[in-house]
Amino acid sequence: MINYLARRVIYSLLVLAGINFLTFFLFFSINTPDDMARLQLGGKRVAAEAIERWKAEHGYDKPLYLNLKAGGTAMLTHTVFVENSLGILHLNFGKTLEGRDIAWELGKRVGPTLAMATPVFIVAVGLSIVFALGLMLFRYSTLDTVGVVALVALMSISSLFFIITGQYVFGKLMALAPLSGFSPGPGMFKFLVLPVAVYVLSQLGSDTRLYRTIFLEELGRDYVRTARAKGLSEIAVLLTHVLRNSLIPIITSAGLLLPALLTGAIVLESFFGIPGLGSFTIEGINNQDYAIVRAMVFFGSFVYVLTYLLTDFAYAWADPRVRLQ
Amino acid sequence: MGWEFRLFAAAALLGGCDVANAPYPLGDIAGNVFYSSFSERPKHLDPVSSYSLNETPWTYATYEPLLHYHYLKRPYTLEGLTATEVPIPRYLDKDGKTLPEDAPTEQIATSVYTIRLRPGIRYQPHPSLARNAAGQFLYHDLKPEQIAGKHSVLDFPLDRAATSTRDATAADYAYQIKRLASPWVPTPSPIYNLFNQYIVGLKELGDRLKVEHAAALKDRNPRDLYLPWKDLRDEPLSGVQALDDSTLQIQVIGKYPQFKYWLAMAFIVPIPWEADRFYVQRGMAENSLNINNWPVGTGAFMLTEQSAYRYVLKRNPNFREVRYPSEGMPGDAEHGWLADAGKRLPLLDQIVFNLEKEREPAEAKLMQGYYDTPDLSRIDIGFSLLKEQMDNTGRSQTLREHKLQLVPANEPTSGYIGFNMLDPVVGMGDTPEQQIRNRKLRQAMSIATDWEEYYAVFFDTYGPSETAMGPVPPGLFGYRAGQAGINPITHIWKDGHAVRRPLDDAKRLMIDAGYADGRDVKTGKPLLIFYDSNGVGPAYQARLNWQVKQLAKLGIQTEVRASDYNRFQERMRKGNEQIYFWGWSADFPDPENFLFLLTTSQGKVKYDGENASNYANPEYDELYIKMRALPDGPERQQVIDRMVSIVREDAPWSFGIFPGSVGIYQQWVHNAKPTQVIQDRSKYLRVDGTLRAQKVTEWNKPKVWPLGLALIALGIVLWPALKLYKRREAANARTTRIAVASGRMS
């Protein structure tokens, strides 16, 4: 187990370092420090001198990868990459271009994201399992066919449609929930009901369809026939035997959902005005703020790496035959 | 309906409010609070660097320049704000001798502005100004551990302070002017390079501070955000003197009458040195505590809360006595804009800005009554609503029922297609013959581009626009309306209206230019023009297609090079464009602010200025210098007429449109006279909170019956499902086999 953990940690560090470099490379393939300065300083009356000053002030006044003017190791260390990018490996997230502390911002924004992600994760996975099991009860009946068609329809519709329709129907026509906004503390409940419902609905089609397929495959196994032969009801067969034996693929699928939720549902947060990690990422991209982009990509990668590790542990829990070596 | 009511009551209780979809408690909605939204957090709230329109609701509410525009008078009229009056400069020759007011411009070496401040201008309560009874500052010598965990100025309590404010003095204005040149202010000023050409000694100060700053940075760890305080009070600036606490003197190089307009902008405001001293302490920058995030001003409001989703401005308790104007323009009284004449400002207690990244929810919440105006900084976003109202489509019924105020206005803004004068095809040309050919080509393209059609088609973007006949927009001195104002190159006067010249005129010019039917007569090849646009995506595509269609009328092929704003600007800077679409929004309401866009010294490629067409005409430049120094009057008008005539003939721009503006305000908002020039308008606004609460409740009655319908539908599905399940459970092996055989069951 310890060997396994150590190996995974080393892999993870390499992955994170690689992603950090890739983020830098891609970001500065599209943007230049001059672009960043101009965007920050505004479109009017921006003098070259102000741009140089801005770059110097924010540490973007050196060459990106190789400083030929410097000698020795400074050729590598006196560069934008080393000075502005490697700090993140010490978990130094730096500051936004407006001077806000990114670690503090992450701390403030992780709350709204978690407040939305947690119920979404629990409800979406739970409901999908319940619906998939429900369909199993009526497999090959008209109800099952209608259910599958409905699921395919849900899968085919863009999440943007769910957002706009949800806002229109529940926020505007029925006036049951605020269209957008946020409030800290218990007041956030009324702002989160609609986005959570919309997110769950947009996830429901694909997840239920997947779980239905998994359950269907399990239902053909011998142990199911044995269980039925024992005289167990169909519900008992599904809940006590089929569900438990289907947990591995369910964990894999749910494990993929979790990091996506934790790094923030970008479109959803944008439309519902939720100040979470997703809207922070958008802010970074719109402002061409490398520090934010880097921090969010790093955070996202870290969450993915961690989730996959936890998923592996969950496999071992769900199936005692699985050994982590 | 009893169960519906109970369900709604439960929902409302869970939501903790009286109207289920209300984003704020009904008590707040009934209060003296103004609600608006923002889509992007302000980048700069430090008056040194704030220049963007979206920052103005905060900067002009918290800071006070020396001058401002009368809120109701049009054309815009400058008057004293913290200054007692608009200063009249005293002119000196190179020996320092006073010259008469009408002295020739070339004799004037310096203009001296002596500005008297009003008494009783006091700063908002702020920890940087907090002193104990012994007069010692409470928060000027903090240890980093005392700052740790503090991220707001409100985390520094003022209850122990004997005082937390002081009077703003002339020295504070001088201090802020020095800050414009100071590299110790982490965000450079976009205006420094302009000001250092005019304010005596500013450039020398800037150069000196730059050297000192570089030396201070030399041994500093680049990751260390701390840099000891630089007391700018000790730095001499020969052109700016605080003669006493209430008299400021600014010396301007030469004669620059437009300087008074800069005094109405939030670059020159009082900043207490204590603020810089407070924010410079080690640990402050790490916690984002700086003027850029937490302003210190004398304005009507003060920033008390800011987060990723909400900004709150509250009434500054130390704001001096300022009254609502008692005179305005004809019609203002009918609009109700004089109803609060003589009342003490500000009229609001609080302004709340909520995050709205997307347009759809923002508009929907406006219609629900949860925003008093969608964006306090802009009045150019109401065109789609106005169009629906005019066309009687979409939400026109709701707009009428909700009595939304949609007030059109003309603001000094322009949009145009520019020709790069450095380009061999559409530019100035190398030889006299080439110059004539190229000019005719530009004129032909200007005629063919039907701007009247453009703003009719793209009303949602530009609103009730006007065709531009020259660079000076309506509402400014120098603009000519009617027949006298038409551009004879592109328009003729017919039946009392300006009519675009027929396409045949443009085709004739094309023949003269050597491009009959859009083909080069020498080579026979079709003329291909590259059109640079900074708009990408579906919203812009229609506009780009339209432009291609305009030039196709002359047989010209157009290749669109759409790119993001950065790439677009880069091409402009390098002069790689051929034709392009751009615009300009005025800094101040003077024709100089538009006519300077075509001066040689503003050439984009050579001088990194604002003349993106790189137009250069010595006569125009000469007239510009003359016009700039002249007071409004017949002589200035004559000079402007000549300048306009030159650029019409040379056609460095296809003069496009002067876009319209439409202010959007709810029926309970008072004194909302639309303006884009006056930025300190929030202090004049008033809301009727009681009416707002009443209307919001009326417009947002929850409808729960669809939920009941949904439950019934669910029941209809579940009932046969339950029956089917029971039947299957009751089935024996034989019936199951039959079902399998018939394909109904596994």
Side-chain angles (χ1 to χ4, degrees):
Chain A
M1 171 73 95
I2 291 169
N3 281 347
Y4 173 81
L5 255 181
R7 202 167 60 241
R8 287 296 297 261
V9 168
I10 292 167
Y11 286 165
S12 304
L13 287 176
L14 289 173
V15 166
L16 292 174
I19 286 172
N20 191 40
F21 174 74
L22 204 62
T23 309
F24 184 88
F25 174 75
L26 291 174
F27 185 91
F28 286 102
S29 299
I30 300 166
N31 305 296
T32 65
D34 278 43
D35 293 340
M36 295 165 70
R38 283 181 189 279
L39 192 73
Q40 288 298 310
L41 295 173
K44 287 167 90 173
R45 300 180 190 272
V46 184
E49 194 187 326
I51 288 168
E52 290 311 314
R53 242 196 77 193
W54 185 94
K55 286 186 338 194
E57 192 64 45
H58 291 83
Y60 292 104
D61 56 337
K62 298 183 178 72
L64 291 177
Y65 303 100
L66 200 61
N67 192 343
L68 294 173
K69 285 183 189 163
T73 54
M75 277 174 76
L76 289 172
T77 54
H78 287 197
T79 59
V80 175
F81 176 66
V82 170
E83 289 186 358
N84 285 19
S85 185
L86 291 190
I88 199 137
L89 298 177
H90 308 115
L91 296 181
N92 175 9
F93 289 99
K95 300 180 87 63
T96 68
L97 294 179
E98 288 100 41
R100 297 192 187 96
D101 182 36
I102 291 179
W104 187 75
E105 283 279 336
L106 285 176
K108 295 291 275 186
R109 285 167 182 270
V110 82
T113 293
L114 274 179
M116 195 175 70
T118 311
V120 165
F121 182 73
I122 294 168
V123 177
V125 173
L127 263 187
S128 300
I129 290 173
V130 168
F131 282 154
L133 289 172
L135 290 176
M136 283 304 91
L137 277 180
F138 308 106
R139 59 192 175 278
Y140 303 131
S141 68
T142 313
L143 201 65
D144 183 29
T145 312
V146 170
V148 171
V149 169
L151 293 177
V152 172
L154 283 176
M155 285 165 69
S156 316
I157 297 169
S158 150
S159 60
L160 200 61
F161 176 83
F162 287 114
I163 292 170
I164 293 170
T165 311
Q167 285 184 326
Y168 183 76
V169 173
F170 292 100
K172 207 171 162 186
L173 287 185
M174 294 168 69
L176 290 176
L179 278 157
S180 65
F182 187 76
S183 164
M188 77 171 71
F189 175 79
K190 68 175 174 184
F191 292 104
L192 292 179
V193 168
L194 193 51
V196 165
V198 163
Y199 204 135
V200 167
L201 197 65
S202 67
Q203 279 295 125
L204 212 56
S206 53
D207 284 4
T208 309
R209 182 105 170 79
L210 176 72
Y211 299 160
R212 181 187 171 277
T213 312
I214 295 165
F215 294 149
L216 209 54
E217 201 177 314
E218 286 298 316
L219 275 171
R221 303 215 185 266
D222 291 344
Y223 72 87
V224 175
R225 192 178 307 125
T226 310
R228 282 196 190 125
K230 283 198 299 184
L232 289 181
S233 70
E234 192 65 11
I235 289 181
V237 169
L238 286 170
L239 289 179
T240 56
H241 294 277
V242 173
L243 179 59
R244 171 138 185 115
N245 283 293
S246 308
L247 275 181
I248 292 236
I250 290 175
I251 288 169
T252 309
S253 152
L256 283 172
L257 175 64
L258 198 59
L261 280 171
L262 290 178
T263 48
I266 290 175
V267 180
L268 201 77
E269 286 187 4
S270 193
F271 268 83
F272 285 101
I274 296 166
L277 296 170
S279 65
F280 194 40
T281 309
I282 283 282
E283 199 177 303
I285 294 167
N286 287 343
N287 287 345
Q288 293 178 6
D289 191 330
Y290 171 67
I292 297 180
V293 173
R294 176 194 62 174
M296 291 313 299
V297 172
F298 184 86
F299 179 76
S301 319
F302 179 75
V303 170
Y304 265 95
V305 164
L306 191 70
T307 311
Y308 285 165
L309 193 64
L310 290 176
T311 307
D312 285 355
F313 281 104
Y315 287 161
W317 166 79
D319 187 348
R321 290 169 300 178
V322 175
R323 293 279 180 274
L324 300 177
Q325 287 178 344
Chain B
M1 297 293 278
W3 67 273
E4 276 188 2
F5 178 77
R6 279 196 294 276
L7 191 60
F8 165 61
L13 196 66
L14 280 171
C17 64
D18 308 285
V19 183
N21 67 352
Y24 343 102
L26 202 57
D28 289 0
I29 292 173
N32 190 18
V33 183
F34 191 89
Y35 290 102
S36 187
S37 69
F38 67 100
S39 60
E40 189 186 330
R41 289 175 84 170
K43 287 190 180 80
H44 305 115
L45 296 180
D46 189 327
V48 157
S49 38
S50 177
Y51 197 18
S52 295
L53 189 65
N54 74 322
E55 292 155 3
T56 55
W58 292 283
T59 48
Y60 282 82
T62 51
Y63 299 115
E64 285 186 294
L66 290 156
L67 308 179
H68 74 155
Y69 298 97
H70 190 282
Y71 186 57
L72 298 174
K73 285 184 187 170
R74 302 290 185 277
Y76 292 106
T77 310
L78 270 181
E79 59 178 22
L81 179 59
T82 55
T84 52
E85 62 201 346
V86 179
I88 296 165
R90 187 164 53 92
Y91 300 122
L92 305 178
D93 67 11
K94 60 180 170 34
D95 300 321
K97 285 181 192 157
T98 303
L99 293 167
E101 266 184 47
D102 57 351
T105 308
E106 57 274 13
Q107 285 184 17
I108 298 170
T110 314
S111 307
V112 181
Y113 290 80
T114 305
I115 303 154
R116 301 214 171 273
L117 302 183
R118 292 179 195 275
I121 306 162
R122 289 177 80 76
Y123 288 106
Q124 65 180 78
H126 194 272
S128 66
L129 302 170
R131 291 172 188 248
N132 60 19
Q136 294 160 322
F137 287 106
L138 291 183
Y139 297 114
H140 277 210
D141 293 301
L142 298 172
K143 294 184 176 67
E145 52 270 27
Q146 291 175 290
I147 297 167
K150 293 183 169 63
H151 290 268
S152 157
V153 287
L154 300 182
D155 293 334
F156 299 89
L158 300 177
D159 48 356
R160 286 191 297 119
T163 177
S164 57
T165 184
R166 70 166 172 84
D167 283 354
T169 63
D172 296 336
Y173 280 95
Y175 184 79
Q176 164 64 5
I177 295 172
K178 291 175 188 174
R179 290 179 85 244
L180 292 170
S182 171
W184 268 265
V185 177
T187 48
S189 175
I191 221 68
Y192 166 67
N193 281 288
L194 179 91
F195 274 18
N196 72 19
Q197 293 169 38
Y198 289 110
I199 296 177
V200 174
L202 193 65
K203 180 150 181 21
E204 290 71 24
L205 174 68
D207 291 345
R208 204 167 60 240
L209 290 175
K210 210 160 113 181
V211 174
E212 283 181 38
H213 185 252
L217 287 180
K218 209 172 176 182
D219 300 320
R220 191 182 74 157
N221 177 352
R223 300 210 182 284
D224 190 356
L225 298 169
Y226 176 73
L227 197 60
W229 183 48
K230 174 72 184 171
D231 191 350
L232 295 173
R233 290 176 300 168
D234 301 339
E235 294 295 329
L237 173 55
S238 55
V240 179
Q241 303 287 328
L243 300 182
D244 56 51
D245 276 357
S246 58
T247 313
L248 177 72
Q249 192 177 77
I250 304 175
Q251 293 182 42
V252 170
I253 298 165
K255 186 179 180 183
Y256 181 42
Q258 288 73 32
F259 186 70
K260 65 187 177 197
Y261 295 112
W262 291 106
L263 298 180
M265 295 179 73
F267 294 110
I268 302 181
V269 297
I271 291 291
W273 63 268
E274 294 93 331
D276 277 341
R277 175 68 186 78
F278 169 75
Y279 285 127
V280 81
Q281 296 175 88
R282 188 181 278 281
M284 288 281 181
E286 284 76 1
N287 288 0
S288 317
L289 290 165
N290 47 44
I291 294 188
N292 210 36
N293 287 319
W294 293 99
V296 191
T298 61
F301 296 94
M302 54 186 194
L303 185 66
T304 57
E305 184 188 331
Q306 60 155 305
S307 65
Y309 63 95
R310 199 168 116 109
Y311 276 69
V312 177
L313 289 169
K314 280 191 179 159
R315 180 195 289 266
N316 172 7
N318 300 333
F319 190 56
R320 67 191 186 285
E321 192 173 320
V322 177
R323 303 274 167 183
Y324 191 92
S326 49
E327 53 178 337
M329 302 303 293
D332 283 359
E334 288 73 20
H335 273 101
W337 292 333
L338 280 166
D340 289 315
K343 284 190 184 163
R344 189 169 177 173
L345 301 176
L347 298 170
L348 298 166
D349 289 338
Q350 203 172 315
I351 306 173
V352 176
F353 302 87
N354 289 306
L355 174 73
E356 290 294 350
K357 284 267 184 204
E358 304 296 333
R359 188 180 147 187
E360 287 79 7
E363 266 192 22
K365 279 163 86 174
L366 174 80
M367 301 305 283
Q368 290 176 331
Y370 295 127
Y371 285 130
D372 299 324
T373 190
D375 185 342
L376 197 51
S377 68
R378 296 181 63 177
I379 58 165
D380 61 343
I381 49 178
F383 306 140
S384 58
L385 294 180
L386 184 67
K387 188 166 188 282
E388 285 174 30
Q389 200 174 51
M390 285 160 62
D391 296 349
N392 219 6
T393 56
R395 293 162 288 187
S396 59
Q397 178 73 17
T398 316
L399 288 171
R400 265 192 294 277
E401 284 170 7
H402 288 199
K403 295 180 186 162
L404 207 70
Q405 302 177 59
L406 294 170
V407 197
N410 281 321
E411 293 298 304
T413 307
S414 77
Y416 56 87
I417 283 185
F419 300 98
N420 180 9
M421 300 302 276
L422 303 176
D423 182 79
V425 179
V426 300
M428 185 57 86
D430 296 331
T431 62
E433 295 77 27
Q434 185 70 37
Q435 287 178 5
I436 293 168
R437 282 185 58 187
N438 290 7
R439 188 175 64 229
K440 290 194 171 178
L441 173 63
R442 293 193 299 272
Q443 289 175 348
M445 288 162 74
S446 299
I447 294 171
T449 308
D450 188 349
W451 291 102
E452 290 80 5
E453 183 186 89
Y454 186 78
Y455 57 73
V457 172
F458 303 108
F459 187 91
D460 283 4
T461 313
Y462 299 103
S465 307
E466 191 175 306
T467 308
M469 299 287 177
V472 182
L476 300 194
F477 181 82
Y479 170 80
R480 283 193 184 276
Q483 190 171 6
I486 66 162
N487 178 359
I489 305 295
T490 55
H491 287 74
I492 49 172
W493 191 257
K494 198 176 170 187
D495 302 331
H497 294 286
V499 179
R500 187 163 288 277
R501 281 186 178 277
L503 204 57
D504 286 344
D505 288 8
K507 285 180 177 170
R508 268 195 293 278
L509 285 166
M510 287 291 284
I511 294 167
D512 293 348
Y515 297 105
D517 294 326
R519 284 182 180 272
D520 190 327
V521 287
K522 285 181 189 161
T523 63
K525 287 183 179 170
L527 176 59
L528 176 67
I529 297 288
F530 291 95
Y531 174 50
D532 276 284
S533 160
N534 59 30
V536 286
Y540 287 92
Q541 196 54 49
R543 278 180 268 172
L544 299 177
N545 292 344
W546 179 88
Q547 183 56 43
V548 171
K549 206 178 90 186
Q550 301 307 303
L551 299 186
K553 289 189 267 187
L554 300 175
I556 299 173
Q557 294 181 11
T558 310
E559 187 169 318
V560 175
R561 293 191 299 202
S563 56
D564 63 54
Y565 196 51
N566 280 334
R567 297 285 84 72
F568 174 78
Q569 281 188 308
E570 195 182 336
R571 274 213 281 271
M572 294 290 138
R573 280 196 303 278
K574 291 180 177 167
N576 289 342
E577 82 283 10
Q578 203 164 23
I579 67 170
Y580 62 94
F581 183 85
W582 221 344
W584 182 260
S585 189
D587 294 308
F588 47 79
D590 189 88
E592 187 271 347
N593 201 242
F594 284 87
L595 294 168
F596 92 106
L597 292 169
L598 289 165
T599 54
T600 307
S601 60
Q602 286 292 327
K604 182 67 95 182
V605 172
K606 210 168 177 184
Y607 304 103
D608 202 12
E610 299 296 339
N611 176 2
S613 282
N614 303 295
Y615 176 64
N617 184 318
E619 188 191 353
Y620 182 89
D621 294 344
E622 208 174 297
L623 288 166
Y624 166 76
I625 291 166
K626 192 176 174 190
M627 177 279 304
R628 202 176 58 173
L630 286 170
D632 289 352
E635 194 184 350
R636 196 177 196 216
Q637 180 69 59
Q638 206 178 353
V639 175
I640 291 171
D641 286 346
R642 177 64 195 137
M643 293 175 78
V644 171
S645 168
I646 289 171
V647 290
R648 280 173 179 165
E649 181 67 22
D650 280 350
W653 291 355
S654 164
F655 297 106
I657 53 170
F658 298 126
S661 299
V662 177
I664 311 174
Y665 300 96
Q666 299 284 3
Q667 56 172 298
W668 50 78
V669 176
H670 298 270
N671 309 326
K673 186 165 183 171
T675 170
Q676 198 77 73
V677 170
I678 299 172
Q679 304 294 359
D680 61 342
R681 51 186 179 267
S682 56
K683 65 172 179 255
Y684 301 100
L685 296 174
R686 178 168 63 83
V687 291
D688 181 346
T690 314
L691 179 64
R692 176 170 57 194
Q694 183 197 325
K695 292 292 170 190
V696 156
T697 314
E698 187 184 310
W699 297 341
N700 295 284
K701 286 194 176 121
K703 295 178 187 69
V704 193
W705 60 264
L707 285 182
L709 270 186
L711 281 175
I712 292 168
L714 193 66
I716 291 170
V717 174
L718 284 182
W719 179 247
L722 199 64
K723 280 182 74 177
L724 178 64
Y725 175 70
K726 279 185 175 171
R727 200 169 67 232
R728 284 189 175 184
E729 283 297 294
N732 54 30
R734 181 178 154 72
T735 48
T736 308
R737 267 204 310 277
I738 292 166
V740 170
S742 62
R744 284 188 287 112
M745 191 183 266
S746 66

